[in-house]
Structure formats: C-alpha cells, structure tokens
Amino acid sequence: MKVHGDVYSGNCYKVLLTCRQLGLDCEWQVVDILQGETRQPAFLAKNPSGRVPLLELDDGRCLAESNAILHYLAEGSPLLPQDRWQRAQLLQWQFFEQYSHEPYIAVARFIRLYQGLPEARRSEYEALLPRGHAALSSMETHLSGRDWFVGGHYSLADISLYAYTHRAAEGGFALDDYPGIRAWLARVAEQPEHITMEEAARKVGQTSSPPGL
C-alpha cells in the first residue's frame, strides 16, 4: 500500500507514525502541497477533495481523512481498543482534534511558519490563539491524573492529538503553562518506534521543509 502525503503536515505525520509503530510496510509518495500537487488531475482522480494524507491500497482503492486511515491501519492492534466505551472515547478525542484543535493550532502554525505571518492574515492569526489555548486547556484538564487519553494506555487518540500539539510552539502556542501536556508529549516520544518529523522526512526522501526548519 501507498500513502500520499507531506510528513511536515501533522495529519500526514500521524499516518506515518502509526505505520511505523505497527510495523506496516508502506510506500510513501511525497506530495508538495505548497506547489499545488494535490490539485493536479492525477491526484484529484484519487481524492476529489484534493487533500492529503491519502491511503492507496494495492487494489487501487483509496481512503482519505487522516483519522479514518488510522482506524483502517490499526484494526486489531492495541492502538485501537476493542472495548465499546473506550473506542467511543477514542473517537470523541479524534473528533475533538479535527474540530476543536487542528483548525486553530494547525492553521496558526501554517500562517506563522509557512507563510511568515503576513499582515493580511495577522488578525485571523490572532483570533486563532485563544481558541487554540482553549483546546490545550481541555487537554491539560483531561490529563490531570492520567498518562494517556483513553483507557490508561497509548492509543490512536494520543497519536492524533500528538501530531500538531508537539509542534504547537511553531504556531505561537507556548506550552509552559501546560505541564500535563508536556509530560504526555515526553511519554509519546518514548514509545517504541517513535520517529520525529525530521527523521521521517529523511526516511521517505522528502527534501522540502517548512521555512525556518
């Protein structure tokens, strides 16, 4: 199978990290988002939404949306709880990540890191900061007295939230006031077969990187 993506995108990185930690043999096809490669006809034929990551199976079937891909890859593994309640909790945090976390922390990172915080987007960027901190505060509260987000063990919930949280400073979100999150980030980084974005980029042969990295 093949994954189309950019490892410096948190949504793509979470797929690569999951593949690595599950020991899955997966070909990586680097897609340059900034050069508009997701808008080319060949890519749109695979994913009409024009977004990465995209999982392409050996039989030609394609699956979009990062968390849907994680569920497909992790079926039957410890990363995806079999308990009904825990699985629902995992989905709860993945929906939180996509609707209450990523739209603020990831977008702020894009504007600040990739675009250099242009004046035309400054007011938009500044409006993202309190909402991103609200998401981080929710995570900090949940982690009080817990090591992991669901079921007392490392799961897809942690991978989904880790992807953009561990690069939050690049978007202007200092984590000094979130000791629970900082301790959790360290625990994730200690998991077997963890790989950083930079290590992943070298592994898949991605030569482009965000400005400043």
Side-chain angles (χ1 to χ4, degrees):
M1 60 184 174
K2 179 188 297 185
V3 175
H4 303 259
D6 174 342
V7 296
Y8 288 106
S9 157
N11 283 326
C12 297
Y13 167 73
K14 68 174 77 161
V15 175
L16 188 149
L17 180 60
T18 299
C19 285
R20 181 178 174 89
Q21 294 185 318
L22 290 174
L24 298 175
D25 184 16
C26 188
E27 178 185 353
W28 192 270
Q29 178 64 51
V30 177
V31 178
D32 193 326
I33 304 170
L34 297 181
Q35 294 299 315
E37 292 183 1
T38 60
R39 309 310 303 177
Q40 296 301 311
F43 186 85
L44 291 172
K46 298 178 185 293
N47 183 15
S49 73
R51 298 171 64 184
V52 288
L54 179 70
L55 176 67
E56 183 175 0
L57 302 182
D58 294 339
D59 61 9
R61 288 180 294 167
C62 292
L63 182 64
E65 300 299 330
S66 59
N67 289 333
I69 294 170
L70 297 195
H71 277 254
Y72 178 83
L73 295 173
E75 184 65 38
S77 80
L79 292 179
L80 188 60
Q82 298 305 304
D83 176 79
R84 182 180 179 183
W85 175 248
Q86 290 182 11
R87 188 175 288 221
Q89 287 183 310
L90 188 151
L91 285 169
Q92 170 187 287
W93 281 110
Q94 288 187 314
F95 287 131
F96 168 87
E97 184 259 338
Q98 286 290 284
Y99 291 105
S100 300
H101 180 284
E102 191 262 7
Y104 311 117
I105 293 176
V107 175
R109 175 178 180 256
F110 180 81
I111 294 172
R112 189 171 186 261
L113 180 65
Y114 284 79
Q115 296 188 323
L117 192 53
E119 193 59 36
R121 300 196 72 180
R122 183 173 293 275
S123 61
E124 177 189 357
Y125 168 79
E126 291 175 351
L128 295 171
L129 296 180
R131 303 192 77 171
H133 278 293
L136 293 169
S137 294
S138 293
M139 293 169 62
E140 180 73 17
T141 297
H142 183 74
L143 285 169
S144 178
R146 294 183 177 89
D147 285 344
W148 307 107
F149 274 88
V150 173
H153 58 82
Y154 182 64
S155 73
L156 292 183
D158 300 290
I159 292 175
S160 293
L161 288 162
Y162 177 80
Y164 280 114
T165 303
H166 88 291
R167 309 294 284 219
E170 294 172 349
F173 298 95
L175 298 180
D176 297 354
D177 294 333
Y178 304 104
I181 288 178
R182 287 187 282 108
W184 164 74
L185 291 176
R187 286 190 291 273
V188 174
E190 292 170 354
Q191 292 303 297
E193 298 301 323
H194 177 273
I195 189 170
T196 67
M197 284 184 173
E198 289 74 21
E199 291 168 339
R202 290 192 293 270
K203 181 178 177 61
V204 304
Q206 180 172 329
T207 57
S208 61
S209 63
L213 291 184

